[in-house]
Amino acid sequence: MNELPKDSIKCLDKGFVRLVDSMGGDDAIVQSARVSYGKGTSKVSQDRGLIRYSMRHRHTTPFEMVEFKFHCKMPIFVARQWVRHRTANINEYSLRYSEARDEFYFPDPDNIEFQSALNKQGRMGEVDSKLKHKVQKYFKEISQRSFEIYSELNEAGVARELARAILPVNLYTEWYWKNDLHNLLHFIGLRSDGHAQYEIRVFSDAMASFVKKVAPFAWEAYQDYAVKGMRFSKIEQIFLQKKLPDRVIDDIQEDVAYQLTASLHANKPRSDEDLFPLYKDQGGLDGPEDFNLKWSSGEIETGNVRELREFKSKIESLRQA
Ligand SMILES: Cc1cc2nc3c(=O)[nH]c(=O)nc-3n(C[C@H](O)[C@H](O)[C@H](O)COP(=O)(O)OP(=O)(O)OC[C@H]3O[C@@H](n4cnc5c(N)ncnc54)[C@H](O)[C@@H]3O)c2cc1C
């Protein structure tokens, strides 16, 4: 079967990922996070905020309410890594039941590199075209020869479950793979990362593109807090506490106070005379004149109130004791 199924994303030379079915999306996350409320009881911005809050605080079970079922075709050595993700439900093409197909992975010349000297689990450095050619030739030779032997044993009536052991791990297999969004994001986090092997990364990226469509807010939150977010160890925090002058913390908190004021005002507009007291309530240090000057500049950004408050208290915790 060399043709790609409809709506699938081609991966490597002969593989693909296809979303067979999905259950729920951002709605399902919000619905379960709110437990008892149904769809349509809240504003889209509140839904987004709730998803982002849940992701930020690792309230993970609502993300388990969304399910994805994929049909995937990949080389066996990729499946070997993939199958380590234990929370999925899998049903794979059986080489005991069915005959193997003459479908092997041949790496593209761009992806033939040297063993990395820095990372024992990686590749690095341009291989000259002569060696690349040799790599491709060996891949083809061994695949072709092993398939000939496999076919010969098959025709002689040797059990398929045994004859298959002759075949190398660049043989393509395929499966149905079902998982919930929380665990799928965990998979994508590990397998779309630059440390993962290129050949599995391609499949992970393909699945990610489906997630982005099915649950866009969850995907956005995952990018902001899990992929691009940063956590500091206790040791790193002590280092920051020692090195970060109080005036820098004051500056940051001052900006946050302005952003909090602007965000609260955007959520629920206040009268002009209420703005300065509102700013003071957020811990603002400027006097009324400076406040008016800055406020009228129109340069104050808005954000999520809860997130800004969390940031404010994190920054405060870095103040020198
Ligand atoms: C870059 C990279 C290099 C790797 N190198 C190696 C290697 O050299 N050798 C090797 O063997 N593996 C290697 N792995 C595989 C890795 O150790 C994990 O097995 C794989 O990433 C799956 O992660 P997981 O267990 O968190 O995921 P899942 O199996 O999807 O599990 C998700 C979470 O559920 C929980 N969980 C699920 N099942 C159990 C269980 N039975 N018991 C307890 N908790 C459970 C755990 O909290 C887990 O984090 C590598 C993975 C990566 C990404």
Side-chain angles (χ1 to χ4, degrees):
M1 190 187 69
N2 279 318
E3 261 177 47
L4 286 182
K6 192 171 171 280
D7 298 328
S8 61
I9 297 177
K10 186 170 190 267
C11 299
L12 304 179
D13 55 349
K14 301 172 188 83
F16 61 80
V17 166
R18 175 171 75 93
L19 180 65
V20 177
D21 205 357
S22 64
M23 184 181 84
D26 287 332
D27 284 355
I29 301 166
V30 169
Q31 190 183 47
S32 85
R34 291 208 167 93
V35 181
S36 49
Y37 306 137
K39 194 179 165 185
T41 55
S42 63
K43 285 199 275 182
V44 171
S45 62
Q46 289 168 337
D47 287 358
R48 179 172 173 265
L50 183 57
I51 289 173
R52 292 176 73 78
Y53 179 84
S54 302
M55 182 68 77
R56 212 160 60 243
H57 292 272
R58 286 180 279 169
H59 177 26
T60 52
T61 39
F63 297 92
E64 292 171 15
M65 301 299 158
V66 186
E67 290 278 337
F68 290 80
K69 183 160 71 186
F70 293 105
H71 177 195
C72 318
K73 182 171 161 190
M74 73 298 266
I76 288 174
F77 72 91
V78 170
R80 186 74 177 73
Q81 294 186 332
W82 202 322
V83 81
R84 298 298 303 277
H85 296 264
R86 295 161 288 179
T87 57
N89 306 113
I90 305 175
N91 195 56
E92 187 175 3
Y93 184 85
S94 169
L95 288 185
R96 297 181 76 194
Y97 187 83
S98 309
E99 276 183 33
R101 293 165 305 205
D102 187 3
E103 289 179 321
F104 295 88
Y105 167 59
F106 302 132
D108 189 85
D110 290 348
N111 297 309
I112 302 172
E113 289 176 82
F114 285 115
Q115 169 61 42
S116 167
L118 304 171
N119 177 359
K120 287 189 178 165
Q121 288 191 324
R123 57 187 99 161
M124 199 178 83
E126 184 68 19
V127 169
D128 63 73
S129 57
K130 205 171 145 207
L131 184 52
K132 279 185 181 181
H133 185 72
K134 192 182 256 186
V135 171
Q136 288 187 299
K137 185 168 152 281
Y138 284 165
F139 260 86
K140 284 190 180 147
E141 264 177 27
I142 202 78
S143 306
Q144 217 170 2
R145 182 66 192 128
S146 65
F147 198 76
E148 277 166 14
I149 297 172
Y150 170 80
S151 304
E152 186 189 324
L153 295 180
N154 226 354
E155 275 160 32
V158 175
R160 284 186 291 271
E161 65 178 12
L162 186 63
R164 65 172 168 176
I166 285 284
L167 296 165
V169 289
N170 64 330
L171 180 78
Y172 271 90
T173 182
E174 62 183 273
W175 63 30
Y176 269 54
W177 191 87
K178 181 169 79 67
N179 214 339
D180 62 71
L181 179 58
H182 167 62
N183 284 293
L184 177 55
L185 289 175
H186 179 67
F187 175 95
I188 292 170
L190 291 169
R191 301 302 182 177
S192 283
D193 184 88
H195 293 95
Q197 176 161 352
Y198 163 74
E199 280 82 2
I200 195 165
R201 230 158 53 213
V202 172
F203 290 90
S204 178
D205 290 349
M207 288 198 287
S209 68
F210 287 113
V211 172
K212 202 172 165 182
K213 280 187 201 144
V214 172
F217 287 160
W219 178 254
E220 177 198 45
Y222 173 69
Q223 290 300 312
D224 288 351
Y225 302 119
V227 178
K228 293 178 187 133
M230 210 185 262
R231 292 170 73 198
F232 293 107
S233 69
K234 189 178 167 194
I235 296 155
E236 290 161 346
Q237 286 175 50
I238 292 170
F239 190 84
L240 284 171
Q241 272 166 350
K242 279 191 192 145
K243 294 287 177 190
L244 213 57
D246 279 357
R247 64 179 165 74
V248 173
I249 293 178
D250 288 344
D251 271 3
I252 297 171
Q253 291 205 325
E254 190 55 18
D255 278 355
V256 174
Y258 273 106
Q259 284 200 22
L260 269 170
T261 311
S263 309
L264 287 163
H265 179 57
N267 293 349
K268 187 177 144 204
R270 298 345 198 240
S271 64
D272 284 352
E273 62 270 22
D274 286 340
L275 286 171
F276 182 66
L278 182 66
Y279 157 77
K280 285 309 242 185
D281 284 348
Q282 309 318 310
L285 299 172
D286 280 349
E289 276 182 21
D290 285 343
F291 172 79
N292 284 333
L293 214 61
K294 176 126 193 203
W295 187 258
S296 54
S297 73
E299 284 170 3
I300 304 165
E301 287 176 23
T302 55
N304 178 281
V305 171
R306 204 180 271 181
E307 193 171 352
L308 285 166
R309 287 192 173 137
E310 286 170 18
F311 179 50
K312 198 174 151 204
S313 82
K314 271 194 234 172
I315 285 291
E316 184 58 34
S317 72
L318 294 178
R319 206 179 277 284
Q320 287 164 7

